[in-house]
Amino acid sequence: MEGTALQRRVFRLLENFEGLDPLRRLFWSELNYDRENAPLSRRGWPETASGVLAEDPVVFAAGADGGFEVIYCRLDSAKLSLQAERRVMEKLHAEGHDRALFVFSDTGRVRWHFVNARYSTEEGRRRLYRRIAVGPEEEHRTASERIAMLDLDCLEGASALDIQARHDEAFAVEPVTNEFFREYARVFARVESLIEGIAEDATERKRLFTQRLFNRLMFLAFIQKKGWLRFDGDANYLPALWKAYRRDEHDENFYRDRLKLLFFTGLNTPNEVDVAGINDGGYTSEIFGDVPYLNGGLFEKGDDDRDDAIVVPDAAIKTIFEDLFGRFNFTVTESTPLDVEVAVDPEMLGRVFEELVTGRHETGSYYTPKPIVSFMCREALKGYLGARLPHDSPEAVKRFVEEHDPSGLRNPEGALEALRNVTVCDPACGSGAYLLGMLHELLDLRSSLFAARSLDPISNYERKLEIIQKNLYGVDIDTFAVNIARLRLWLSLVVEFEGEEDQKPPPLPNLDFKIETGDSLTAPDPSGGLELDMVRDEQVSRLEGLKGAFLKAHGEEKKRLRSEIGELRAGISTWAHPNGKVSGFDWQVEFAEVFAGDADGTAGGFDVILTNPPYVRMELFKEIKPTLRKNFPEVHSDRADLYVYFYGRALQLLRSGGMLAFISSNKWFRAGYGKKLRKLVADITHVTSITDFGDLPVFQSATAYPMIFTAQKESNATGGPTAFTLAKSLDPPSTLTWPLSSASEANPCHPMPYTAPTGA
């Protein structure tokens, strides 16, 4: 590898990091820390923390005369458990070991985590954990570069605080993220230029083909970490496959002779017998090894996959494998705002897609940071659960949603039922950030209810699958945005599956009717739901059942169910729209089970709409203005930007009592084009919170003056005062309470320009 001499020496150490000797050499020789070997007693520790360790922790090395410690902890497990690590670190923190680097190994000292812990003042002094993984399945180039930054020779005379600051810098995720973005963009452009057989003027077709190739290979780069892909017994699958190809003289083109067979014969065909009738373990095993059947649509053949004139030269594959996959470590550990691995995690798929690849910025689309997504999901769920649990106090609901503490709920069974039935939609879902965010929030809340009541919970895999099937919906106009959103949901499921050794994972669910492609704005107003009689109700119920079956189907059953769903939808469309089929995404028909309404006659609709709508100025979508004027007379203005119409659509899609959570420009508060929207919001909603970011760089490549706006549609409750926050950072905001003006004011939503309350 390139880099400094120290980086190269650290890299060689990490490549064969087994036993204590490499650890000694790393800290005592290469990084110049003082030698220590001081055991730390576990006496008095609770079993939950003490029992996960094979032996007492050891202060292994130190700096600044012992003011900064390197603490080694050997887990009593063949796997590294993040939960076990956190329990140990929390106990060590409580005993005063605050300025420290924590090094964990499995019981065999083969796999390692180097963990940095720092305080976040914005998070109420909660600790943020950043970890670097080292082991036989990992790539170590980035790890060696970051760990080499810890050399104390570069910090002569440094205090413990100085050393801690250097560790915080070395374990920062953002530089690795930014470097990956830059390298991905460079490699993508290089590969796109090398692909042959697509006409020069078909630039969009070539870009989409390249993106599909990257999607598939990136997915494999992640799931090989689960050990499900093996070539000649090697779980480091893609490098092993590439090495075998380059060794095999009779192969002529890696994409044609290996990858196409892997994609369409291996991963998309049940492996008991492949499409050619060759038993598993024969010829195909020599070509692509041992792989599971994944289904899910990612590896289905498209028209370009059947076009033999398209050639992906080996030089293109080489730059993907060596410059991208060989440069960065991939992890399937899902990060949270408080616990992140310094590696490429599944969230990167969304960030890469939104920020670098498809020109989404030209359509006004920007990636929303995870802390903001989490905050918006929680604000929406607090309003939703507050309406569904009228006998529980707002404080108890807030504590449940924000702290996952259900102890104050009077009706936990009602909370579980509400969480199981909530319908959530992002009408501009992009790469799925909000769908993933809501998946995690719902999973954590349901898990906390089961834990509090000492019930035997189902696996996280099963619970996530149930949430995807029953609770989440998404639409985007960009086909490849939809594909990335589905891909991220698949990866989120993949990380949860823990079978017996050598057990194949279940096939991926088909998400075709959960995350769909379409124009969210051009179809007519779907509010009011569907008018049902006994026959129509039976049709909608049957459609819902077919969709549920399709989610888990494959092979011929999948084809049959797709056809039946199409026919049934066409039938529903004839009575839902007697004047003829509508243009755009037909909400009432596509998601008929949501718009069917309740047995008591309550009109249908979604419980939660949350999104980051496209930031597109009015002069860039003139061609659809007449349609928008017709569909949204209550918010239309000739000068309105596109996000205004997404507000209008969201209010149409919500059922009574439903929650809206948007991050958008704050300009509609004061601009003339927002006058109608301000009146509509005042007339039919209770505004629950406003969080204004001013000119903070929420979206790094755009200055949008964004705010988070949440409201409850047609809420019968008078509600409390609207919570207003003037954000000082991009961490999850803490809410200040400020009574805003009433609807009778000249500006019915908020007197703009406003003055923030003292201390905001």
Side-chain angles (χ1 to χ4, degrees):
M1 62 167 285
E2 299 177 358
T4 67
L6 175 59
Q7 287 173 356
R8 291 193 293 272
R9 292 198 303 272
V10 171
F11 179 82
R12 288 194 291 271
L13 270 177
L14 298 184
E15 284 291 274
N16 190 27
F17 208 81
E18 295 187 17
L20 286 178
D21 186 58
L23 190 66
R24 296 187 185 103
R25 290 170 57 197
L26 178 64
F27 283 98
W28 296 350
S29 300
E30 299 295 351
L31 302 180
N32 300 295
Y33 286 72
D34 298 332
R35 298 188 182 197
E36 302 278 349
N37 256 320
L40 299 172
S41 173
R42 289 177 285 167
R43 184 177 301 165
W45 282 28
E47 179 62 24
T48 54
S50 177
V52 303
L53 292 174
E55 58 202 16
D56 286 343
V58 175
V59 178
F60 188 81
D65 296 324
F68 185 92
E69 301 169 315
V70 178
I71 300 177
Y72 168 58
C73 308
R74 182 180 171 218
L75 295 179
D76 188 20
S77 169
K79 292 185 177 181
L80 294 172
S81 163
L82 304 191
Q83 186 179 41
E85 291 174 9
R86 282 193 290 269
R87 289 173 183 166
V88 172
M89 287 187 289
E90 287 166 3
K91 191 60 186 171
L92 290 169
H93 287 313
E95 294 183 349
H97 302 279
D98 279 333
R99 293 202 173 104
L101 173 71
F102 299 94
V103 181
F104 291 89
S105 79
D106 61 11
T107 189
R109 297 191 176 105
V110 175
R111 294 169 180 82
W112 304 75
H113 281 162
F114 294 72
V115 186
N116 162 260
R118 69 176 178 85
Y119 282 116
S120 167
T121 54
E122 294 86 358
E123 286 283 346
R125 286 188 65 77
R126 287 191 288 176
R127 291 182 182 87
L128 309 182
Y129 294 116
R130 303 290 182 261
R131 69 192 71 238
I132 291 174
V134 171
E137 300 89 5
E138 312 295 343
E139 297 290 343
H140 295 117
R141 291 192 192 180
T142 297
S144 62
E145 292 167 4
R146 310 311 291 181
I147 290 174
M149 292 175 63
L150 307 180
D151 181 14
L152 290 191
D153 266 4
C154 301
L155 295 172
E156 187 174 353
S159 68
L161 186 61
D162 295 331
I163 298 173
Q164 180 68 60
R166 174 57 64 89
H167 279 247
D168 293 345
E169 179 187 0
F171 280 77
V173 178
E174 291 75 15
V176 176
T177 297
N178 294 335
E179 187 178 358
F180 179 77
F181 285 168
R182 288 192 295 270
E183 193 65 8
Y184 189 105
R186 185 191 69 79
V187 170
F188 188 96
R190 169 70 173 157
V191 171
E192 187 178 22
S193 70
L194 289 173
I195 290 173
E196 305 166 3
I198 299 177
E200 290 298 322
D201 57 353
T203 55
E204 184 67 9
R205 180 188 175 196
K206 193 172 188 180
R207 170 149 287 208
L208 293 181
F209 178 88
T210 308
Q211 183 60 52
R212 187 181 296 111
L213 175 64
F214 271 69
N215 286 355
R216 289 164 171 165
L217 290 176
M218 287 272 283
F219 184 81
L220 297 181
F222 283 115
I223 69 166
Q224 71 181 3
K225 293 294 185 180
K226 298 289 287 186
W228 295 341
L229 312 173
R230 293 180 180 272
F231 190 86
D232 282 344
D234 192 340
N236 199 16
Y237 178 78
L238 288 174
L241 192 66
W242 177 241
K243 183 178 179 180
Y245 163 75
R246 301 187 75 178
R247 186 176 63 231
D248 195 338
E249 295 182 359
H250 65 73
D251 281 326
E252 296 179 3
N253 178 270
F254 184 77
Y255 175 75
R256 183 193 64 211
D257 299 336
R258 299 262 180 165
L259 285 184
K260 290 182 81 169
L261 282 168
L262 168 65
F263 293 162
F264 311 125
T265 298
L267 299 168
N268 199 45
T269 305
N271 281 344
E272 289 78 11
V273 179
D274 68 26
V275 292
I278 305 168
N279 290 331
D280 186 30
Y283 170 71
T284 55
S285 180
E286 295 178 7
I287 297 297
F288 54 71
D290 182 21
V291 300
Y293 166 56
L294 291 179
N295 192 27
L298 179 61
F299 298 102
E300 287 184 348
K301 266 190 180 181
D303 291 340
D304 284 342
D305 298 316
R306 298 183 180 91
D307 188 346
D308 293 334
I310 298 176
V311 176
V312 181
D314 284 355
I317 300 298
K318 183 176 186 291
T319 193
I320 294 173
F321 284 179
E322 297 184 6
D323 295 350
L324 195 64
F325 293 178
R327 173 72 180 79
F328 297 91
N329 195 27
F330 285 69
T331 176
V332 289
T333 302
E334 288 191 322
S335 64
T336 72
L338 297 175
D339 197 329
V340 179
E341 186 171 334
V342 185
V344 179
D345 69 8
E347 186 185 6
M348 287 285 193
L349 283 171
R351 298 185 67 176
V352 164
F353 179 78
E354 300 284 354
E355 298 287 349
L356 293 178
V357 178
T358 62
R360 292 276 288 178
H361 292 179
E362 298 170 9
T363 63
S365 301
Y366 297 90
Y367 183 82
T368 314
K370 180 178 282 188
I372 289 176
V373 171
S374 177
F375 173 74
M376 290 173 63
C377 291
R378 292 181 178 198
E379 287 295 289
L381 287 172
K382 281 188 287 187
Y384 167 74
L385 288 172
R388 290 297 184 103
L389 303 172
H391 300 298
D392 281 298
S393 69
E395 292 76 18
V397 171
K398 179 180 179 180
R399 189 162 63 250
F400 174 49
V401 173
E402 293 188 352
E403 301 175 26
H404 302 156
D405 177 7
S407 62
L409 295 178
R410 298 176 63 184
N411 184 13
E413 289 82 5
L416 179 58
E417 185 68 13
L419 293 172
R420 280 177 167 160
N421 291 325
V422 64
T423 53
V424 180
C425 181
D426 183 346
C429 68
S431 60
Y434 287 99
L435 301 174
L436 266 294
M438 187 59 81
L439 173 62
H440 293 147
E441 297 297 335
L442 293 175
L443 178 72
D444 289 345
L445 290 174
R446 288 180 57 175
S447 297
S448 70
L449 284 169
F450 282 108
R453 297 183 66 79
S454 301
L455 299 175
D456 182 27
I458 60 176
S459 72
N460 278 350
Y461 177 90
E462 292 172 296
R463 189 169 289 127
K464 273 189 175 181
L465 185 59
E466 182 182 330
I467 291 169
I468 291 169
Q469 179 175 359
K470 297 199 177 282
N471 306 129
L472 302 181
Y473 296 82
V475 179
D476 198 278
I477 198 169
D478 188 324
T479 299
F480 270 76
V482 168
N483 288 341
I484 292 288
R486 293 173 181 168
L487 185 59
R488 292 183 66 197
L489 287 171
W490 286 327
L491 279 170
S492 188
L493 278 172
V494 161
V495 303
E496 300 293 355
F497 181 75
E498 295 291 346
E500 300 296 328
E501 189 173 353
D502 296 328
Q503 182 180 354
K504 300 290 187 184
L508 299 173
N510 302 300
L511 302 178
D512 306 48
F513 301 118
K514 297 298 300 180
I515 320 298
E516 300 202 37
T517 304
D519 189 326
S520 291
L521 299 179
T522 53
D525 181 357
S527 60
L530 294 168
E531 294 185 11
L532 301 178
D533 54 27
M534 187 177 296
V535 173
R536 293 175 177 181
D537 183 63
E538 190 278 330
Q539 287 181 307
V540 172
S541 296
R542 181 165 170 256
L543 177 64
E544 186 174 14
L546 289 175
K547 283 185 176 182
F550 179 83
L551 196 82
K552 301 176 182 179
H554 52 87
E556 290 303 316
E557 183 190 13
K558 180 177 172 181
K559 294 178 183 178
R560 177 183 61 79
L561 287 171
R562 190 194 299 274
S563 176
E564 287 187 32
I565 290 170
E567 292 174 4
L568 193 51
R569 276 179 162 179
I572 293 173
S573 180
T574 59
W575 54 260
H577 307 295
N579 295 325
K581 186 178 179 181
V582 303
S583 61
F585 186 79
D586 190 348
W587 291 93
Q588 288 182 324
V589 174
E590 300 296 322
F591 298 145
E593 66 275 17
V594 174
F595 287 91
D598 297 334
D600 62 4
T602 304
F606 288 100
D607 295 305
V608 174
I609 299 288
L610 76 167
T611 194
N612 171 10
Y615 289 62
V616 181
R617 295 183 60 81
M618 54 93 183
E619 59 267 18
L620 299 179
F621 58 95
K622 291 181 179 178
E623 69 283 356
I624 63 169
K625 275 281 187 175
T627 301
L628 299 180
R629 183 184 298 113
K630 179 181 178 183
N631 289 348
F632 305 100
E634 67 281 2
V635 302
H636 172 74
S637 165
D638 286 336
R639 302 197 61 79
D641 291 344
L642 192 65
Y643 71 86
V644 168
Y645 298 100
F646 273 91
Y647 273 98
R649 180 60 92 202
L651 291 170
Q652 293 172 354
L653 293 172
L654 284 171
R655 66 189 307 156
S656 178
M659 290 296 301
L660 176 150
F662 268 45
I663 183 167
S664 75
S665 169
N666 63 22
K667 286 179 64 178
W668 68 273
F669 271 6
R670 61 183 180 273
Y673 70 67
K675 181 179 180 180
K676 283 186 175 181
L677 177 55
R678 294 195 296 268
K679 183 178 187 307
L680 179 66
V681 165
D683 286 346
I684 69 169
T685 79
H686 165 63
V687 180
T688 55
S689 70
I690 299 169
T691 305
D692 201 314
F693 292 94
D695 58 1
L696 285 173
V698 175
F699 308 108
Q700 293 183 3
S701 47
T703 302
Y705 300 99
M707 65 160 184
I708 296 171
F709 181 87
T710 66
Q712 191 162 31
K713 181 179 178 181
E714 298 172 1
S715 173
N716 294 324
T718 57
T722 300
F724 173 79
T725 302
L726 183 62
K728 293 184 177 181
S729 79
L730 300 184
D731 287 280
S734 57
T735 305
L736 301 175
T737 298
W738 184 32
L740 301 186
S741 60
S742 68
S744 62
E745 298 276 350
N747 180 335
C749 190
H750 192 299
M752 293 293 290
Y754 54 77
T755 302
T758 302

